[in-house]
Amino acid sequence: MISDTRQQHTTKPAFHPVAWGVILGTFLSRTGFFMTIPFLGIYLGKIKGIDPATIGAILAVSLFAGTWGSFAGGAISDRFGRYPVMVGSMTLWSLVFIGFAFADTTWLFFLLSGLNGLFRSLFEPTARALLTDVTPEERRTDVFNARYFAINVGGAIGPLLGLKLGIGSSSSLLPFVLSAAIYFFYAIVLIIFSIKYKPAARNATRSVPFKQMVSIIFTDKVFLYFLTGNIFVFGAYSHLDTTLSQYIGHERIGTYSLLFIVNTLSVVTLQYPLVKLMKRFSSMAALKAGCVFFGLGLLGLGSFHQVTLLVLSMIVFTLGEILCFVIGDVLIGEIAPAHLRGAYYGASGFAFIGQSFCTWLGGILLQTLGFDQGPFIFSILMLLTFIAYPFFYRGQLLLKQQAEKPERSRNTVPGTSI
């Protein structure tokens, strides 16, 4: 009997099949995304002849639509189910890539960019909520770790495929069409999973009016501390391909390309041991450490000129990225009531406001102070990142107080206990 029990334990899959489906789909969708979207600005300027200012506005529309659409996507999935939102958004998202391939007018690119951000913001929080639904609490760190690993592998392969297939050249049609095919294929896979594993996707949904849903989430103090801190964390991350690309890439594009590769390789190699180590600590403690690493990494990237020191600074920066993004998803799963997980994951998208603001601020600092003031500029950016620390600290204290008072459950204080 004992040996049978052990055998059953060893053959039990690490994650639910639905979780594996989401992880594999994440890899496929991010490969398609990074095959085209990072080159969209080049495509619009070089192939479509659109001026730089208009291109910047087109790209900004996507981020704006994503910020405000994220909460709606998560909330809708709580009301109507994860699969309908994921299948619908993925199918429509595939049509956006077809649109990019064949569009010729500027207004249409504005529309497609907005839809790109919207469908991404509908899909992402819903997929994260589904992962939480089908994964036991003790395995959620592992499953989000695997998801983030898939994102970065797709982020490494996608751009290489895009360049190989001729994105940004006269043959740019094929990468967009291939990305659309990948997204449509994943939509079909989701339909199959919705039929085969339908019970696994039930997320304890109960009818909650939208106004009450908003009230519950934005009176959850722990979540608000986390969300506010995340605004500054997302702002720090935005400098990787905006402020830093301008600061280093304008004269040393080879060095910047190397740092981008170091970032990807560091995520792939350091993610699992780092997250395993941080399991010994609370989620908020990991987030506090993450924002410190983010800030110190930024300072090093703006202060050093030797390649070796820049590489070390990028590794430090990447440590912050891993901690904040992987553990942040785990924390939401801890504090969100089961019937509002989608809404919580969706509301976390408001942190992208920090990404928008800091992208703009970094450009202003470079233009105003000059490219020779890197240490000063990145010191300012580091201090902005450190503002996240007291918010994570306050959230950690509040979580500790709630753990010491188990009688304060979600039935009396909605959405704030763990």
Side-chain angles (χ1 to χ4, degrees), residues 12-127:
K12 184 178 180 180
F15 303 133
H16 191 283
V18 170
W20 282 118
V22 172
I23 293 168
L24 177 60
T26 296
F27 163 71
L28 291 174
S29 62
R30 289 307 176 98
T31 299
F33 182 88
F34 285 109
M35 191 189 306
T36 52
I37 299 302
F39 305 98
L40 184 58
I42 298 173
Y43 172 75
L44 294 176
K46 189 175 180 180
I47 305 301
K48 298 300 180 179
I50 300 175
D51 65 272
T54 303
I55 291 174
I58 290 173
L59 299 179
V61 166
S62 177
L63 189 60
F64 180 81
T67 299
W68 298 103
S70 182
F71 177 72
I76 291 171
S77 77
D78 285 331
R79 295 294 299 273
F80 302 105
R82 312 293 188 214
Y83 285 126
V85 175
M86 293 173 69
V87 171
S89 58
M90 188 58 64
T91 302
L92 294 172
W93 203 357
S94 70
L95 297 179
V96 169
F97 287 93
I98 295 294
F100 278 131
F102 294 101
D104 279 317
T105 57
T106 301
W107 72 266
L108 191 52
F109 283 116
F110 271 103
L111 175 62
L112 291 169
S113 181
L115 292 175
N116 175 58
L118 176 62
F119 294 137
R120 180 180 180 181
S121 69
L122 292 176
F123 179 83
E124 292 290 342
T126 306

Side-chain angles (χ1 to χ4, degrees), residues 88-278:
S89 58
M90 188 58 64
T91 302
L92 294 172
W93 203 357
S94 70
L95 297 179
V96 169
F97 287 93
I98 295 294
F100 278 131
F102 294 101
D104 279 317
T105 57
T106 301
W107 72 266
L108 191 52
F109 283 116
F110 271 103
L111 175 62
L112 291 169
S113 181
L115 292 175
N116 175 58
L118 176 62
F119 294 137
R120 180 180 180 181
S121 69
L122 292 176
F123 179 83
E124 292 290 342
T126 306
R128 288 150 63 201
L130 179 59
L131 272 182
T132 304
D133 291 340
V134 300
T135 306
E137 185 173 351
E138 65 273 11
R139 298 306 312 277
R140 287 176 187 166
T141 300
D142 297 322
V143 80
F144 279 108
N145 200 19
R147 174 183 176 271
Y148 198 64
F149 181 83
I151 288 174
N152 282 277
V153 174
I157 295 174
L160 297 177
L161 285 175
L163 290 171
K164 185 70 174 178
L165 295 172
I167 188 71
S169 68
S170 57
S171 57
S172 292
L173 177 66
L174 181 58
F176 285 110
V177 173
L178 182 57
S179 293
I182 290 173
Y183 277 55
F184 189 72
F185 169 76
Y186 186 37
I188 294 174
V189 172
L190 287 171
I191 292 174
I192 295 172
F193 269 71
S194 69
I195 297 171
K196 188 173 182 179
Y197 299 107
K198 189 173 182 179
R202 290 172 184 163
N203 46 293
T205 302
R206 61 175 184 260
S207 181
V208 178
F210 186 80
K211 185 176 181 180
Q212 182 182 352
M213 190 182 295
V214 174
S215 176
I216 290 173
I217 292 174
F218 291 102
T219 55
D220 183 336
K221 291 184 178 180
V222 172
F223 181 73
L224 287 180
Y225 283 131
F226 163 75
L227 182 59
T228 307
N230 246 17
I231 289 174
F232 297 97
V233 163
F234 275 59
Y237 180 72
S238 71
H239 298 300
L240 175 62
D241 53 7
T242 56
T243 311
L244 188 64
S245 67
Q246 295 180 70
Y247 175 65
I248 294 180
H250 79 292
E251 287 185 350
R252 296 183 292 166
I253 189 169
T255 301
Y256 176 72
S257 299
L258 171 64
L259 293 177
F260 208 88
I261 294 171
V262 169
N263 174 256
T264 302
L265 292 178
S266 297
V267 171
V268 172
T269 57
L270 298 177
Q271 179 180 335
Y272 280 98
L274 180 61
V275 172
K276 183 177 181 180
L277 173 65
M278 295 309 296

Side-chain angles (χ1 to χ4, degrees), residues 259 297 300-301 303-316:
L259 293 177
L301 290 168
S303 301
F304 299 130
H305 294 279
Q306 300 93 331
V307 173
T308 302
L309 293 177
L310 287 172
V311 167
L312 290 175
S313 298
M314 179 55 76
I315 293 173
V316 172

Side-chain angles (χ1 to χ4, degrees), residues 206 220 331-339 344 406-418:
R206 61 175 184 260
D220 183 336
L331 177 66
I332 296 175
E334 292 174 353
I335 65 177
H339 64 292
Y344 269 71
E407 68 275 8
R408 294 180 62 189
S409 66
R410 288 191 182 93
N411 293 327
T412 55
V413 184
T416 58
S417 68
I418 59 171

